[in-house]
Amino acid sequence: MRKVVALPVLSADALSSVAYGPEALLAVLVLGGTAGLAYSVPVSLAIVFLMLAVGLSYRQTIRAYPHGGGSYIVATDNLGRIPGLVAAAGLMTDYILTVAVSVSSGMAAVTSAIPGLSGDVVPIGVLVIAVLLAGNLRGVRQAGALFAAPTYAFIVAISALVAFGLYDAAGRDFTPVPHPPLHAVEGVGLLLVMRAFASGSTAMTGIEAISNAVPAFKPVPWRNARTTLSWMIGLLIALFAGTIAMVHLEGVVPRSDETVLSQLAHHSFGSGGMYVFTQAATALVLLLAANTAYNDFPRVLFLLARDNHAPRIFLRLGDRLAFSNGIIVLSVAAALVYVAFDGNTATLIPLYAVGVFLAFTLSQSGMVVHWWRGRDRHWRKSLAFNATGAVLSALVFITAGITKFTEGAWLAILTVGVFLLVTTRIHRHYAQVTEALRLRPQQIEIPSRTIAPLPNGEPRPAKKAADARDAERTEKAGSAENPESAPDAEPEESPEEIRHLSVVALDSLHRASMRALAYAASLQQPVLALHVSPSDEDAERFRAAWLLWGDHLPLRIIVSPYRAIVTPLISYVESLHRQRPDLTITVIIPEIVVRHWWHRVLHSRLAGRLRRALRPLPKIVVTTVPFHVPDGRSA
């Protein structure tokens, strides 16, 4: 992407947080009355410093990870597996709440302009999430002017709002307008100020997005990514600080029926076209921010599944080249959270801060270890930046966890704990199954005879080949003589008339696949081994393992760069059927059989999907060869 496109697309999450971050800060301080609001400027300055520090920290991450360095990757590489999983838990909580908070804040912007919709916030918000789900399942991608426009419109709207407000304030020598009378409901102390700091810090969500997407930039990617990140941080600070300054000058306080931005827009523009433009731009950029989670959440699930910490169904791409299963999980989780909290942004914020800053803390701590180990050029400066970001992020995380524990932070912390438990159990199960499947020299089954492939790589029965050609010519002649009679696709009525070809689908060479190969060879019919690889490198690795085994059977490897398995298999079997309609093709699939029902979701249901897809074709048989994982290993 060009920087002019990458800036709005990748900054939508961070910049849109100006719509709810300042309001979240003020909603806490207003509890202390006039004395509490007096801390709005000092607390905001602390948050601006935090933005600057974390932004500089992520500049170092981009330099160290030019191919993309999200919190999960950085924490796993430098801190280990468990910290990496904790970072992933924080990220996934962040992405789920990004959808819920962005939709709730967007609905608040809409109901501020159209109060009559306030009673339908929950169903409309769920409908918005459903639209995001449908769009992303169809392969919607963030690119081009269409997705850049909302962010630029929001920047223009807030900049104009601040400029008009400052111009108006200049006419009264920047004297603040008195705010409405406030009644303090709690005393002003360190706890209140720290809660406000933690709530306002949610204005930093989405800062990590650019470091995740470095490969998407035009050359030189890491340099363009760092430039874009600097612009994003500058804009975020300007919009956040400008909004707080206007709140201070206009005497605006949070209200339940209208957002702070809506109040400021009314002060600056009245109720005319610019007000409508501001509210529309706010709602649209929040919708775009919600959509960014649909790119990142499935990607994290993919990385977890690749590392055997999540079910392998999350490795699979849908027909539109989108990670459909991850998209569905995100939508369901976000909708449940949104409904559970009645679409109220204020009640969602405590959960949000925990996940965001947990991921920030572990990512920046991982970078500290990275620089300490590598000690390359300028490592001391980079280490200092990342250490500062790690300490400040940890401070916000601890503050949010303690001060907002009873307000909902406990749920985010519990979610992280449950996530860690589930992912480690999944990894243990996969490790046990891998051990059960591991080949041992005395367990390798070798077919009693080999089948020589044709020059084009396809096996063909050596026996009765001429008869097959004669049968085909006879059938064609009969069809020509009697064109009204449709040929029977499955004319065989005795065992001698059936000509076989067994196709064994293999994901890798292990005990289950060897058993399937041995079963196929035992039928004393031609056998073809078929493997689908996600890349040329994986294909070469499999071919090397196959040759090491002995190359006893013909092998065909299909490279499927989008990790699709079923579609390439179906296409290949259909091609075989078209080339040799006289053959009965038996597709043999090794099947892992586990003891507990909850383990079944961790393993592919490939056979059922192939049966459903190939059922319309005649003379295709799909069967499985089960491999039962011993009870002691599957527990």
Side-chain angles (χ1 to χ4, degrees), residues 104-117 124 259 275 279-280 283-284:
S104 66
S105 188
M107 288 306 305
V110 171
T111 56
S112 294
I114 312 174
L117 295 177
I124 295 176
T259 65
Y275 171 77
Q279 294 305 102
L284 286 174

Side-chain angles (χ1 to χ4, degrees), residues 309-355:
H309 291 298
R312 288 171 181 162
I313 59 172
F314 295 116
L315 292 172
R316 187 187 309 152
L317 283 168
D319 294 336
R320 301 277 180 162
L321 302 184
F323 291 108
S324 305
N325 294 313
I327 289 169
I328 293 170
V329 169
L330 173 60
S331 298
V332 171
L336 289 174
V337 170
Y338 182 83
V339 172
F341 286 84
D342 295 322
N344 189 322
T345 305
T347 56
L348 287 167
I349 290 296
L351 285 76
Y352 206 7
V354 171

Side-chain angles (χ1 to χ4, degrees), residues 182-431:
L182 297 173
H183 302 286
V185 296
E186 62 179 89
V188 178
L190 180 62
L191 184 62
L192 182 73
V193 172
M194 293 304 290
R195 281 168 54 201
F197 176 69
S199 294
S201 295
T202 55
M204 295 174 54
T205 59
I207 282 182
E208 188 187 51
I210 292 176
S211 68
N212 288 334
V214 177
F217 284 83
K218 285 191 172 184
V220 178
W222 68 269
R223 185 172 293 128
N224 287 328
R226 279 166 62 104
T227 302
T228 305
L229 177 63
S230 299
W231 273 101
M232 183 188 78
I233 296 299
L235 284 169
L236 178 60
I237 290 174
L239 296 180
F240 178 83
T243 301
I244 291 295
M246 292 312 304
V247 167
H248 177 70
L249 290 171
E250 298 294 341
V252 170
V253 296
R255 287 165 40 185
S256 59
D257 61 335
E258 187 177 9
T259 65
V260 166
L261 276 185
S262 177
Q263 294 180 61
L264 291 175
H266 268 134
H267 278 82
S268 294
F269 308 128
S271 300
M274 276 301 295
Y275 171 77
V276 174
F277 173 76
T278 300
Q279 294 305 102
T282 302
L284 286 174
V285 77
L286 286 163
L287 182 64
L288 179 57
N291 196 58
T292 60
Y294 282 88
N295 291 325
D296 295 330
F297 182 92
R299 177 178 170 274
V300 174
L301 265 181
F302 166 82
L303 294 174
L304 288 168
R306 184 196 64 186
D307 296 339
N308 291 334
H309 291 298
R312 288 171 181 162
I313 59 172
F314 295 116
L315 292 172
R316 187 187 309 152
L317 283 168
D319 294 336
R320 301 277 180 162
L321 302 184
F323 291 108
S324 305
N325 294 313
I327 289 169
I328 293 170
V329 169
L330 173 60
S331 298
V332 171
L336 289 174
V337 170
Y338 182 83
V339 172
F341 286 84
D342 295 322
N344 189 322
T345 305
T347 56
L348 287 167
I349 290 296
L351 285 76
Y352 206 7
V354 171
V356 171
F357 285 95
L358 176 59
F360 283 177
T361 301
L362 290 169
S363 175
Q364 298 310 306
S365 299
M367 288 306 303
V368 171
V369 175
H370 171 84
W371 297 121
W372 179 258
R373 287 175 178 170
R375 304 195 185 192
D376 57 2
R377 187 183 179 191
H378 303 309
W379 70 272
R380 288 185 177 87
K381 180 183 72 173
S382 297
L383 187 149
F385 282 135
N386 286 125
T388 302
V391 170
L392 293 176
S393 297
L395 176 64
V396 178
F397 168 68
I398 294 170
T399 300
I402 294 174
T403 62
K404 296 181 175 294
F405 187 81
T406 58
E407 297 177 27
W410 66 270
L411 181 57
I413 295 172
L414 178 63
T415 301
V416 171
V418 171
F419 178 89
L420 188 62
L421 175 65
V422 171
T423 51
T424 52
R425 290 295 296 269
I426 289 174
H427 188 270
R428 187 173 74 177
H429 170 74
Y430 279 136

Side-chain angles (χ1 to χ4, degrees), residues 437-452:
L437 292 172
R438 186 167 60 87
L439 286 174
R440 298 168 180 84
Q442 68 273 19
Q443 293 172 332
I444 295 180
E445 302 285 351
I446 298 178
S448 58
R449 67 188 182 95
T450 61
I451 311 296

Side-chain angles (χ1 to χ4, degrees), residues 44-57:
S44 298
L45 289 175
I47 292 174
V48 166
F49 178 75
L50 179 63
M51 290 175 178
L52 187 61
V54 173
L56 288 173
S57 297

